[in-house]
Amino acid sequence: MLGAIGVVYGDIGTSPIYAFREALAASSSDGSMVERADVLGVLSLIVWALTIIVTIKYIGFVLRADNRGEGGMLSLMALARSSFKNRSSIILLIGILGAGLFYGDAVITPAISVLSAVEGMEVVTPTFQPYVVPLTLIILIALFSVQRFGTASVASVFGPITLLWFLAIGVSGLFHIVEDPHILLALNPLEGAIFLFDSPGVAFVTIGAVFLAVTGAEALYADLGHFGRRPIVLAWFSVVFPCLLLNYFGQGAFVLGHSQAIGNPFFEMNRGWMLMPMVGLATAATVIASQAVITGTYSLTRQAVQLNVLPRLDIRHTSETQSGQIYLPRVNWTLAVVVVALVVGFGASSRLAAAYGISVTGNMLITTILLFFVMKRIWNWPLISAVALTALFATVDLGFLFSNILKVHDGGWASLLIAGCVVLLMTTWVRGTRQLFEKTRKNEMPLSLLVESLSRKPPPRVPGTAVFLTSNPGFAPTALMHSLKHYKVLHEQNVILTVVTAPQPKVPDSERVNIEKIDDLFMRVTMNFGFMEQPNIPKALAICRKKGWKFDIMTTSFFLSRRALKPSPTSGMPRWQDRLFIRLARTAADATEYYQIPTGRVVEIGTQVAV
């Protein structure tokens, strides 16, 4: 539970620094003063947004939609898609959209979190204002620089620091609630309803800022596989939810007791000896929240690679005992560049808040849609029940989404642009790989015909084992055909090896390998890996020994096809997308390293393909 507090709730736990401030500013006509009814109305909306979205939707239902213990957008997509016989392409596209929106959220979270915490120094002394952005950049660059060392050493302190953070903001809020207990009237949902109906125009804008209080809720599901449902639920009800409510109510009581003036209530209500420790603790909490998002991005990217919606990337394991502790250099530094650009470009957390929210609301809406398919097709709920619950969640999600759309011009375009770029890359890779598969299959010979031909006129055989990797086990691999064409020999044992990504996160060793003997010359081997696992062919081959296939790795050669792609005038994609796919293919990580094959045992045979 302590680990869940540190990793899962880091993002939503830092929302009080800016969420209430932005919601009050949106509800005020002049941006500096608010009425008592506005404070109560905004607080009521925050309370019930946390209750409906986090407590009911995510804690009550989404966390139950685990894919063999794993969570996250692509995990939910794989679960929903597995219920369709033909693996619905529409569900795949919905999952890709959700993944793209997650990336849009992932780059803004570190920027707005750390920037809002450092801005607390302005409350200490206004002369610090010119140093806010530079110090934020130093913290962020340092954070991205240490990623290559792994998170194991720092993860052990995440939980205690974040727990201290929640207790501090809870006590801070409680102190001001005691001064004005009337603020608890905001628990009444009628206060929020009155606020919405009295000034619909202002309320519509305010809802977009209120949503900042629930950003980070999607992390509950994304990190399900790391902690399990029970610790996440216990942490929410025993620590996180009560402390968040205490702090939000405390900020409201503080504003009411200071002539309803809007400044930076989170830090201003801690003036005195508590201010500097709170600024330091807030900075530590925001760094932890950023770390959780960065780690989540690595995990999502690995899932995307395994599900073949992104090209192979260099994935480095930073722990000998924890398979989930990974580092992706290309993803890390791409994130770093974009986050730094956002901090420099926007310059203040208030301006970044306008860019925040759109991608998160879209992500939550897509979660609701995929959850409907799980409820109906996996859980076998009656249609009326699935539709009713989906309608409730979708109404809330759409309300927040429409209110956040107003932010597009003020900065929301940034997260949508990032999400759009990711979706473009993923759809291009999916379309391109399918097209490449169709083109290469036309030029391939069915494996059964080749086996029949070689059995009638067998070529000379040399000692050892040859393993030919292919994505289509029904056809003779290109490397095999070229090997026969140029060398005119076969090995004593010839294995057609296919690596398959299963729709579940992990595959037990008992289901890892399937062996099928074709004849005396050939055998077909299929290796199954979950989409959360890093493929390791040599390790999986060791399982084959238990199933009767005896081999020596030192007399085994692995034959891989290396395709050189070039644009084709008859491509099924636009020419620009064709070139983008070729560029993506060229940047893919080396198959030898990706499958962890000993480099000294690999033979690569190149072919040229027009796509």
Side-chain angles (χ1 to χ4, degrees), residues 193-213:
I194 292 170
F195 176 78
L196 290 175
F197 289 109
D198 276 359
S199 306
V202 174
F204 188 69
V205 177
T206 306
I207 287 173
V210 166
F211 185 76
L212 295 172

mmCIF file of all heavy atoms in Angstrom, residues 193-213:
data_model
loop_
_atom_site.group_PDB
_atom_site.id
_atom_site.type_symbol
_atom_site.label_atom_id
_atom_site.label_comp_id
_atom_site.label_asym_id
_atom_site.label_seq_id
_atom_site.Cartn_x
_atom_site.Cartn_y
_atom_site.Cartn_z
ATOM 1 N N ALA A 193 -24.617 21.947 -8.096
ATOM 2 C CA ALA A 193 -25.714 22.064 -9.055
ATOM 3 C C ALA A 193 -26.176 23.511 -9.187
ATOM 4 O O ALA A 193 -26.430 24.011 -10.302
ATOM 5 C CB ALA A 193 -26.873 21.169 -8.625
ATOM 6 N N ILE A 194 -26.291 24.224 -8.052
ATOM 7 C CA ILE A 194 -26.710 25.638 -8.078
ATOM 8 C C ILE A 194 -25.694 26.475 -8.845
ATOM 9 O O ILE A 194 -26.046 27.335 -9.655
ATOM 10 C CB ILE A 194 -26.872 26.167 -6.631
ATOM 11 C CG1 ILE A 194 -28.069 25.486 -5.953
ATOM 12 C CG2 ILE A 194 -27.049 27.686 -6.625
ATOM 13 C CD1 ILE A 194 -28.171 25.748 -4.475
ATOM 14 N N PHE A 195 -24.413 26.199 -8.602
ATOM 15 C CA PHE A 195 -23.358 26.929 -9.310
ATOM 16 C C PHE A 195 -23.450 26.706 -10.820
ATOM 17 O O PHE A 195 -23.288 27.638 -11.614
ATOM 18 C CB PHE A 195 -21.993 26.470 -8.785
ATOM 19 C CG PHE A 195 -20.820 27.070 -9.508
ATOM 20 C CD1 PHE A 195 -20.414 28.367 -9.250
ATOM 21 C CD2 PHE A 195 -20.113 26.341 -10.455
ATOM 22 C CE1 PHE A 195 -19.327 28.925 -9.914
ATOM 23 C CE2 PHE A 195 -19.030 26.878 -11.126
ATOM 24 C CZ PHE A 195 -18.637 28.181 -10.851
ATOM 25 N N LEU A 196 -23.743 25.471 -11.214
ATOM 26 C CA LEU A 196 -23.833 25.153 -12.645
ATOM 27 C C LEU A 196 -25.007 25.861 -13.307
ATOM 28 O O LEU A 196 -24.878 26.377 -14.433
ATOM 29 C CB LEU A 196 -23.966 23.644 -12.838
ATOM 30 C CG LEU A 196 -22.742 22.783 -12.513
ATOM 31 C CD1 LEU A 196 -23.078 21.311 -12.642
ATOM 32 C CD2 LEU A 196 -21.582 23.127 -13.433
ATOM 33 N N PHE A 197 -26.141 25.891 -12.632
ATOM 34 C CA PHE A 197 -27.357 26.437 -13.255
ATOM 35 C C PHE A 197 -27.472 27.954 -13.139
ATOM 36 O O PHE A 197 -28.131 28.583 -13.948
ATOM 37 C CB PHE A 197 -28.595 25.771 -12.656
ATOM 38 C CG PHE A 197 -28.766 24.335 -13.071
ATOM 39 C CD1 PHE A 197 -28.573 23.306 -12.163
ATOM 40 C CD2 PHE A 197 -29.091 24.013 -14.378
ATOM 41 C CE1 PHE A 197 -28.708 21.981 -12.548
ATOM 42 C CE2 PHE A 197 -29.221 22.693 -14.786
ATOM 43 C CZ PHE A 197 -29.038 21.678 -13.864
ATOM 44 N N ASP A 198 -26.834 28.558 -12.127
ATOM 45 C CA ASP A 198 -26.924 30.019 -11.974
ATOM 46 C C ASP A 198 -26.163 30.756 -13.067
ATOM 47 O O ASP A 198 -26.616 31.774 -13.585
ATOM 48 C CB ASP A 198 -26.374 30.432 -10.601
ATOM 49 C CG ASP A 198 -27.422 30.304 -9.509
ATOM 50 O OD1 ASP A 198 -28.565 29.906 -9.839
ATOM 51 O OD2 ASP A 198 -27.100 30.576 -8.331
ATOM 52 N N SER A 199 -24.998 30.250 -13.422
ATOM 53 C CA SER A 199 -24.179 30.901 -14.455
ATOM 54 C C SER A 199 -23.625 29.829 -15.388
ATOM 55 O O SER A 199 -22.448 29.444 -15.299
ATOM 56 C CB SER A 199 -23.035 31.694 -13.819
ATOM 57 O OG SER A 199 -23.501 32.599 -12.875
ATOM 58 N N PRO A 200 -24.451 29.315 -16.295
ATOM 59 C CA PRO A 200 -24.026 28.195 -17.144
ATOM 60 C C PRO A 200 -22.756 28.480 -17.940
ATOM 61 O O PRO A 200 -21.904 27.601 -18.092
ATOM 62 C CB PRO A 200 -25.230 27.982 -18.073
ATOM 63 C CG PRO A 200 -26.384 28.594 -17.356
ATOM 64 C CD PRO A 200 -25.822 29.743 -16.584
ATOM 65 N N GLY A 201 -22.641 29.702 -18.461
ATOM 66 C CA GLY A 201 -21.469 30.042 -19.268
ATOM 67 C C GLY A 201 -20.188 29.973 -18.470
ATOM 68 O O GLY A 201 -19.204 29.346 -18.879
ATOM 69 N N VAL A 202 -20.185 30.626 -17.310
ATOM 70 C CA VAL A 202 -19.002 30.612 -16.445
ATOM 71 C C VAL A 202 -18.735 29.199 -15.931
ATOM 72 O O VAL A 202 -17.593 28.738 -15.878
ATOM 73 C CB VAL A 202 -19.194 31.583 -15.257
ATOM 74 C CG1 VAL A 202 -18.022 31.466 -14.278
ATOM 75 C CG2 VAL A 202 -19.322 33.013 -15.753
ATOM 76 N N ALA A 203 -19.816 28.492 -15.560
ATOM 77 C CA ALA A 203 -19.681 27.132 -15.022
ATOM 78 C C ALA A 203 -19.060 26.192 -16.047
ATOM 79 O O ALA A 203 -18.258 25.313 -15.698
ATOM 80 C CB ALA A 203 -21.035 26.612 -14.574
ATOM 81 N N PHE A 204 -19.428 26.380 -17.323
ATOM 82 C CA PHE A 204 -18.902 25.502 -18.369
ATOM 83 C C PHE A 204 -17.388 25.631 -18.473
ATOM 84 O O PHE A 204 -16.668 24.634 -18.617
ATOM 85 C CB PHE A 204 -19.565 25.854 -19.703
ATOM 86 C CG PHE A 204 -19.236 24.897 -20.813
ATOM 87 C CD1 PHE A 204 -19.717 23.601 -20.788
ATOM 88 C CD2 PHE A 204 -18.445 25.297 -21.874
ATOM 89 C CE1 PHE A 204 -19.417 22.709 -21.806
ATOM 90 C CE2 PHE A 204 -18.137 24.413 -22.900
ATOM 91 C CZ PHE A 204 -18.628 23.118 -22.862
ATOM 92 N N VAL A 205 -16.906 26.885 -18.366
ATOM 93 C CA VAL A 205 -15.457 27.113 -18.407
ATOM 94 C C VAL A 205 -14.803 26.555 -17.144
ATOM 95 O O VAL A 205 -13.720 25.951 -17.192
ATOM 96 C CB VAL A 205 -15.160 28.620 -18.553
ATOM 97 C CG1 VAL A 205 -13.654 28.862 -18.512
ATOM 98 C CG2 VAL A 205 -15.749 29.159 -19.849
ATOM 99 N N THR A 206 -15.482 26.746 -15.996
ATOM 100 C CA THR A 206 -14.925 26.307 -14.715
ATOM 101 C C THR A 206 -14.755 24.796 -14.653
ATOM 102 O O THR A 206 -13.789 24.286 -14.076
ATOM 103 C CB THR A 206 -15.835 26.773 -13.558
ATOM 104 O OG1 THR A 206 -16.027 28.187 -13.653
ATOM 105 C CG2 THR A 206 -15.217 26.424 -12.209
ATOM 106 N N ILE A 207 -15.689 24.068 -15.271
ATOM 107 C CA ILE A 207 -15.619 22.600 -15.249
ATOM 108 C C ILE A 207 -14.295 22.113 -15.836
ATOM 109 O O ILE A 207 -13.701 21.155 -15.357
ATOM 110 C CB ILE A 207 -16.815 21.990 -16.014
ATOM 111 C CG1 ILE A 207 -18.092 22.148 -15.180
ATOM 112 C CG2 ILE A 207 -16.574 20.520 -16.316
ATOM 113 C CD1 ILE A 207 -19.348 21.725 -15.911
ATOM 114 N N GLY A 208 -13.830 22.805 -16.870
ATOM 115 C CA GLY A 208 -12.556 22.423 -17.474
ATOM 116 C C GLY A 208 -11.404 22.529 -16.492
ATOM 117 O O GLY A 208 -10.472 21.726 -16.515
ATOM 118 N N ALA A 209 -11.456 23.549 -15.592
ATOM 119 C CA ALA A 209 -10.414 23.703 -14.578
ATOM 120 C C ALA A 209 -10.624 22.732 -13.424
ATOM 121 O O ALA A 209 -9.656 22.232 -12.832
ATOM 122 C CB ALA A 209 -10.396 25.141 -14.066
ATOM 123 N N VAL A 210 -11.883 22.450 -13.089
ATOM 124 C CA VAL A 210 -12.191 21.492 -12.024
ATOM 125 C C VAL A 210 -11.599 20.130 -12.358
ATOM 126 O O VAL A 210 -11.147 19.390 -11.481
ATOM 127 C CB VAL A 210 -13.718 21.387 -11.800
ATOM 128 C CG1 VAL A 210 -14.079 20.161 -10.958
ATOM 129 C CG2 VAL A 210 -14.245 22.652 -11.145
ATOM 130 N N PHE A 211 -11.565 19.802 -13.653
ATOM 131 C CA PHE A 211 -11.055 18.494 -14.078
ATOM 132 C C PHE A 211 -9.597 18.294 -13.685
ATOM 133 O O PHE A 211 -9.137 17.155 -13.555
ATOM 134 C CB PHE A 211 -11.216 18.343 -15.591
ATOM 135 C CG PHE A 211 -10.818 16.991 -16.095
ATOM 136 C CD1 PHE A 211 -11.640 15.900 -15.908
ATOM 137 C CD2 PHE A 211 -9.593 16.789 -16.733
ATOM 138 C CE1 PHE A 211 -11.277 14.628 -16.348
ATOM 139 C CE2 PHE A 211 -9.221 15.544 -17.183
ATOM 140 C CZ PHE A 211 -10.067 14.457 -16.985
ATOM 141 N N LEU A 212 -8.855 19.391 -13.477
ATOM 142 C CA LEU A 212 -7.455 19.268 -13.077
ATOM 143 C C LEU A 212 -7.314 18.495 -11.765
ATOM 144 O O LEU A 212 -6.266 17.915 -11.491
ATOM 145 C CB LEU A 212 -6.822 20.659 -12.925
ATOM 146 C CG LEU A 212 -6.699 21.505 -14.206
ATOM 147 C CD1 LEU A 212 -6.243 22.911 -13.866
ATOM 148 C CD2 LEU A 212 -5.752 20.848 -15.198
ATOM 149 N N ALA A 213 -8.378 18.483 -10.965
ATOM 150 C CA ALA A 213 -8.334 17.786 -9.674
ATOM 151 C C ALA A 213 -8.304 16.270 -9.832
ATOM 152 O O ALA A 213 -7.906 15.559 -8.901
ATOM 153 C CB ALA A 213 -9.533 18.196 -8.813
#
